Amino acid sequence: MNKIKELFNIQYPIVQGGMIWASGWKLASAVSNSGGLGLIGAGSMYPDVLREHIQKCKKTTNTPFGVNIPMLYPNLEEIIKIIIEEDIKIVFTSAGNPKTYTSFLKEKGITVVHVVSSLKFALKAQDAGVDAIVAEGFEAGGHNGRDETTTLALIPMIKEQIKIPLIAAGGIATGTAMYAVMALGADGVQIGSRFVASEEASSHPDFKKMVVDAKEGDTHLTLKELAPVRLLKNKFYQDVANLYAKGASVTELKALLGRARAKRGMFEGDLEEGELEIGQVSGLIHDIKPVAIIVKKLINDFENTRKRMSNINFLEE
């Protein structure tokens, strides 16, 4: 039995990333209904909006789903309260200390998973008592690790030293990539960028089109002094680059970033002045499809890759 399937009681070891401005109830329920684990992204929601999305998700799927909580966001205590009241059974935490809420959530019967970008933080998360870890490589979109460790290097390093289930993230948009990271020791995958380019994602259609049009080299990790984030290159990104070229201070970077910059880009569709978060693997995403078709293709490609690899024997004379 696969550890991730067993932990979440799902058909496939595929978890949808809880991305801001993309992961509303429509995306989460569609992924869950397709056999994976859908996540509602609480990071872009006021508490009352989160409650609404949870309730709508309950009405549209009878299969497990969870909530992703970036712990650096405000209203954290109120968000936790809503999760308890709405009887959510799976919580993914990120961007903070897993010790803060893991014990409390587990006492409420909630399965807790923490997202990390390094071996050091993976070990801390395990010590905090989480049920599983998402290890996210440098390729991933959105907020990222400062050390720039790739998924290919990160997964086996963490697998070597932890005992709990491991989910790989970063640069995974195909069944072949899913096979690769599971061969390296992952028990399942978390996929973000591929699900942004889905019909059910709540992100703006113009942003989805820009993701589909992206080529190799069109994203870059920046703003490490604040919180490292991988962005599509647009006018806002160039403004950031120009500030760096002038030797800008953290205060100047914060002033340029301002408030709601990600909402402006990914949700409202301002492709010039908005912050457009997406992974390097966007260069492999060429269409916007329903989630059910995306998941089906992931599984078919995984199986085809598994069969192809089983027929390879380079030791034969």
Side-chain angles (χ1 to χ4, degrees), residues 299-311:
I299 297 304
N300 286 344
D301 288 352
F302 178 93
E303 280 300 303
N304 289 337
T305 304
R306 184 179 62 80
K307 290 172 184 175
R308 177 168 57 85
M309 296 305 295
S310 69
N311 290 327

Side-chain angles (χ1 to χ4, degrees), residues 128-190:
V130 301
D131 296 287
I133 288 167
V134 175
E136 185 176 78
F138 164 74
E139 303 94 324
H143 291 287
N144 213 314
R146 286 183 167 82
D147 295 332
E148 301 188 9
T149 308
T150 65
T151 305
L152 196 69
L154 186 63
I155 296 305
M157 285 195 292
I158 291 178
K159 183 67 175 182
E160 188 177 56
Q161 296 201 40
I162 67 166
K163 297 180 175 64
I164 57 178
L166 175 61
I167 302 167
I172 305 164
T174 66
T176 303
M178 180 178 170
Y179 181 93
V181 294
M182 292 183 76
L184 288 170
D187 300 294
V189 295
Q190 183 171 64

